[in-house]
């Protein structure tokens, strides 16, 4: 069953599975389940990218974390993932994961969890009118999917088995009566009843947390800043680190930029913010001065602007 819920985040759409709402009966997870992607899951993610014109490809990635790492430039929020979950338990109880209600991240994660784990999933999506083919795929999986949204398209709602929407009435100025208060009412389309009383439930949103950054990435950033002055050839940096993996990770997530013209890597302002947040700023950056150990002539502006 696939359900659309409009304007009522407090309305519980699933009884078991993974939700984004941190309600009283939901058990919190450490992060978003780092699901291993199936061919269908990768196809659904690429469908979202294609619809939005995002130049990123999930065809060959294996896990949800790979999508967030490789395509992080197009996803406007940080999400912490967890491998500490049991699919069998997700199918028998309600669990809250820190899925932000921010597009396209919420839609991508919702599609991935439902298709990869085959568990009931509740997520937020304002993109659903453009993805009815993807929703048809979820419907065919035999799991319950509840989509919260602020968008209602009467030409495309036939994909849903049930639609729940907050009843809103804009009264005429000459017809202000007590009956204009519909805060506790919703309209249900697709079942025998049309109007039901539904009191508001207290809830909080499961807010995302900053992801953990690999120590080898932090070390690569520190070496480039402290020992090489913020800019160096790719070979010199990889020789010092004895590995290219950390450099590639740092470039992918935006801590370094690579210039194929002169084969150099440069530090970015995002990396400087990272070092400052890790309390390394006293060692590698002083206001108006180059980094210690650097040549002093390239300056920080060239590395930071890359």
């Amino acid at each position: 069953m696939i359900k659309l819920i409009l304007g009522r985040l407090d309305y519980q759409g699933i009884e078991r599975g993974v939700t984004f709402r941190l309600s009283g009966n939901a058990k919190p997870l450490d992060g978003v389940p780092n699901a291993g992607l199936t061919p269908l899951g990768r196809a659904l993610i690429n469908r979202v990218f294609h619809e939005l014109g995002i130049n990123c490809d999930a065809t060959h990635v294996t896990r949800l974390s790979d999508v967030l790492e490789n395509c992080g430039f197009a996803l406007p929020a940080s999400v912490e993932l967890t491998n500490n979950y049991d699919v069998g338990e997700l199918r028998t109880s309600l669990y809250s994961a820190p899925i932000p209600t921010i597009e396209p991240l919420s839609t991508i994660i919702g599609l991935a969890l439902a298709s990869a784990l085959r568990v009931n999933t509740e997520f937020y999506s304002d993109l659903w009118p453009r993805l009815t083919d993807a929703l048809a795929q979820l419907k065919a999986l035999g799991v319950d999917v509840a989509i919260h949204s602020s968008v209602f398209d009467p030409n495309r709602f036939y994909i849903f088995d049930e639609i729940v929407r907050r009843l809103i009435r804009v009264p005429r100025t000459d017809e202000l009566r007590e009956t204009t208060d519909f805060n506790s009412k919703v309209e249900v389309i697709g079942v025998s009843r049309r109007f039901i009383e539904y009191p508001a439930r207290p809830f909080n949103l499961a807010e995302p947390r900053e992801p953990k950054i690999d120590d080898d990435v932090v070390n690569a950033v520190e070496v480039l800043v402290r020992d090489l002055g913020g800019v160096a050839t790719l070979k010199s940096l990889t020789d010092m680190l004895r590995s290219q993996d950390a450099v590639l990770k740092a470039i992918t997530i935006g801590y370094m930029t690579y210039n194929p013209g002169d084969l150099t890597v440069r530090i970015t302002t995002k990396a400087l913010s990272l070092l400052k947040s890790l309390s390394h700023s006293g060692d590698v950056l002083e206001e108006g001065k180059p980094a210690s150990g650097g040549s002093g002539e390239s300056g920080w502006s060239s590395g930071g602007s890359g």
Side-chain angles (χ1 to χ4, degrees):
M1 179 177 182
I2 184 168
K3 180 188 299 185
L4 176 65
I5 303 170
L6 296 160
R8 289 296 297 265
L9 289 177
D10 61 303
Y11 191 99
Q12 185 169 313
I14 57 174
E15 299 295 331
R16 297 181 300 274
V18 180
T19 178
F20 67 97
R21 298 178 306 107
L22 193 60
S23 55
N25 59 337
K27 304 174 184 177
L29 291 169
D30 295 334
V32 174
N34 187 18
L37 297 179
T38 61
L40 174 59
R42 292 190 286 268
L44 292 173
I45 292 173
N46 278 339
R47 175 70 180 84
V48 177
F49 288 157
H50 175 74
E51 183 65 36
L52 299 179
I54 294 175
N55 186 22
C56 195
D57 187 9
T59 303
H60 302 294
V61 299
T62 58
R63 305 191 69 81
L64 182 57
S65 57
D66 298 330
V67 177
L68 301 184
E69 180 176 324
N70 296 341
C71 306
F73 64 89
L75 305 177
S78 297
V79 172
E80 185 173 352
L81 299 166
T82 180
N83 293 309
N84 184 26
Y85 67 92
D86 181 86
V87 176
E89 294 179 354
L90 295 182
R91 291 171 178 165
T92 57
S93 300
L94 185 64
Y95 286 86
S96 175
I99 304 173
T101 57
I102 300 173
E103 297 292 15
L105 198 58
S106 56
T107 297
I108 289 173
I109 293 176
L111 295 175
L113 295 183
S115 61
L117 301 181
R118 297 298 201 272
V119 300
N120 300 340
T121 308
E122 182 176 38
F123 59 98
Y124 186 94
S125 176
D126 283 342
L127 300 176
W128 71 262
R130 303 162 66 176
L131 301 168
T132 51
D133 53 343
L135 298 183
Q137 287 284 349
L138 293 187
K139 189 174 182 179
L141 297 179
V143 297
D144 291 339
V145 177
I147 298 177
H148 288 257
S149 183
S150 300
V151 175
F152 183 61
D153 187 341
N155 296 317
R156 298 175 182 265
F157 63 49
Y158 297 100
I159 188 66
F160 297 101
D161 299 303
E162 181 175 296
I163 297 176
V164 178
R165 63 178 182 177
R166 181 183 178 189
L167 183 59
I168 298 178
R169 179 185 179 192
V170 180
R172 296 185 337 206
T173 57
D174 60 346
E175 197 184 52
L176 294 176
R177 302 174 182 173
E178 294 181 359
T179 56
T180 58
D181 182 10
F182 291 99
N183 287 331
S184 63
K185 293 183 180 181
V186 294
E187 180 183 12
V188 180
I189 305 173
V191 294
S192 59
R193 62 192 187 277
R194 292 288 296 185
F195 297 99
I196 62 172
E197 296 288 340
Y198 203 92
R201 294 179 179 179
F203 73 96
N204 290 311
L205 294 180
E207 298 182 8
R209 292 174 289 178
E210 288 294 336
K212 295 182 177 65
I213 303 171
D214 293 343
D215 291 339
D216 56 347
V217 173
V218 176
N219 180 58
V221 171
E222 287 185 315
V223 169
L224 180 58
V225 172
R226 182 185 61 239
D227 299 329
L228 299 174
V231 57
T233 63
L234 178 62
K235 184 179 186 306
S236 62
L237 180 58
T238 54
D239 286 346
M240 293 186 69
L241 297 173
R242 298 181 181 179
S243 172
Q244 284 189 349
D245 291 342
V247 178
L248 293 177
K249 288 181 183 178
I251 293 172
T252 299
I253 59 182
Y255 292 124
M256 299 179 190
T257 59
Y258 174 65
N259 184 355
D262 56 7
L263 304 180
T264 59
V265 288
R266 294 172 180 267
I267 207 68
T268 66
T269 54
K270 181 179 178 181
L272 298 181
S273 299
L274 169 67
L275 295 181
K276 185 176 181 180
S277 67
L278 295 177
S279 300
H280 291 290
S281 58
D283 298 328
V284 298
L285 177 61
E286 294 180 14
E287 188 69 21
K289 297 182 180 180
S292 59
S295 63
E297 58 183 338
S298 60
W300 281 93
S301 59
S302 62
S305 63

